[in-house]
Amino acid sequence: MPVVKYPRAAEPLWHEWDRKAQKDGLRHTVYAVNGDQYTGEWLDNLKHGKGTQIWKHNGAIYSGDWKFGRRDGYGSYSIPDPVTKEYLKVYTGWWRNDKKCGYGTMFYPSGERYEGEWSSGQRSGWGRMCYGDGSTYEGQWLADRPGGQGMLCLPNNNRYEGGWKDGKKHGPGRFFFLDKGQLLEGIWVTDVPKCGIMIDFSRDAAPAPTQYPIPKIELADPDGVLAEAQVMFDDSQNE
């Protein structure tokens, strides 16, 4: 008995549409229902590789690396100036899981700038912050604030070197009053010096030295005084 071959049923049209809609490896421009626009590479229908995203609600633009639908790798984020409409760079650097992570530079609307390490979208690690008043902080950061060891330089060249906690001077440190030619070395608690030793420092080179030099006061055991203060400070932190 002869074998009868029936023609194979035609593939449903929606299969073809679905296959054409798959964006894999190639560059495509896609518009979201909310008006956002993405042009770049795809993998498994997710933004993956190099690409540029434009958000309609604020006109912001990100251009750089993507990984499975999220900003991941190196990229730049900018927003349009509300007056000139020219794009102003906000952040350039590394990303991970859609957040700033690694080394990058942040440009603030006030003109301030941070360059350094990030973690989960916050300044964390080593970094340098240039403030609007002309002062700069360079050192360790934790949870988006100075934390650890760092140096704050003021516009008049006075500076503090030492410990920080929650964005404030905390722990052993030294404050150089270069405008007056003095140095304070001691222990700070939440931005307040609790104890220390003030001495003349480069007084001859100071632009506005005090009228009289600091008189010499001899302590029987100056190192012991500071050591005792350090112990009291450590005990207070452990309470």
Side-chain angles (χ1 to χ4, degrees):
M1 181 175 181
V3 178
V4 179
K5 294 183 178 180
Y6 295 95
R8 188 168 57 180
E11 183 180 42
L13 189 58
W14 67 268
H15 280 186
E16 182 181 357
W17 291 342
D18 185 63
R19 187 167 53 251
K20 289 182 178 179
Q22 293 294 321
K23 300 171 286 293
D24 225 4
L26 302 177
R27 292 182 62 86
H28 295 272
T29 297
V30 175
Y31 296 88
V33 293
N34 62 0
D36 293 349
Q37 174 186 338
Y38 172 80
T39 300
E41 299 173 325
W42 298 78
L43 180 65
D44 295 334
N45 267 1
L46 295 173
K47 304 163 194 169
H48 192 90
K50 302 289 185 181
T52 300
Q53 167 96 14
I54 302 176
W55 287 267
K56 183 179 180 180
H57 74 281
N58 62 356
I61 182 171
Y62 169 83
S63 182
D65 296 325
W66 296 78
K67 188 174 182 180
F68 299 116
R70 296 175 179 268
R71 291 169 289 187
D72 200 300
Y74 190 85
S76 179
Y77 178 81
S78 304
I79 59 174
D81 184 278
V83 178
T84 66
K85 304 304 179 182
E86 294 182 359
Y87 274 98
L88 303 175
K89 193 168 292 185
V90 175
Y91 175 80
T92 298
W94 293 91
W95 303 72
R96 180 182 297 171
N97 199 25
D98 225 28
K99 295 181 179 180
K100 295 181 284 289
C101 189
Y103 195 89
T105 302
M106 181 82 172
F107 303 90
Y108 296 86
S110 60
E112 298 179 336
R113 185 180 78 255
Y114 171 83
E115 182 177 359
E117 297 176 308
W118 297 77
S119 180
S120 299
Q122 294 184 326
R123 293 166 290 186
S124 185
W126 192 268
R128 175 185 176 89
M129 181 76 184
C130 298
Y131 296 97
D133 63 359
S135 60
T136 60
Y137 170 83
E138 184 170 1
Q140 294 175 305
W141 293 74
L142 182 64
D144 221 33
R145 291 185 288 185
Q149 293 295 309
M151 178 176 66
L152 176 68
C153 295
L154 302 177
N156 62 0
N157 292 325
N158 290 349
R159 72 177 186 271
Y160 168 81
E161 300 175 356
W164 294 79
K165 182 180 180 182
D166 297 331
K168 297 180 179 181
K169 306 176 195 71
H170 197 82
R174 298 186 298 173
F175 201 108
F176 295 84
F177 296 92
L178 298 181
D179 58 338
K180 298 178 180 179
Q182 295 177 334
L183 166 64
L184 172 61
E185 184 171 3
I187 296 175
W188 274 254
V189 177
T190 59
D191 253 358
V192 178
K194 292 297 184 178
C195 73
I197 299 174
M198 177 79 83
I199 63 173
D200 287 321
F201 180 84
S202 299
R203 178 180 170 82
D204 295 337
T210 56
Q211 185 175 0
Y212 301 104
I214 297 175
K216 292 184 179 295
I217 299 177
E218 298 291 340
L219 291 177
D221 185 15
D223 293 335
V225 173
L226 280 179
E228 182 180 354
Q230 180 68 57
V231 171
M232 294 176 63
F233 171 77
D234 293 340
D235 290 342
S236 68
Q237 300 305 297
N238 295 327
E239 292 179 356

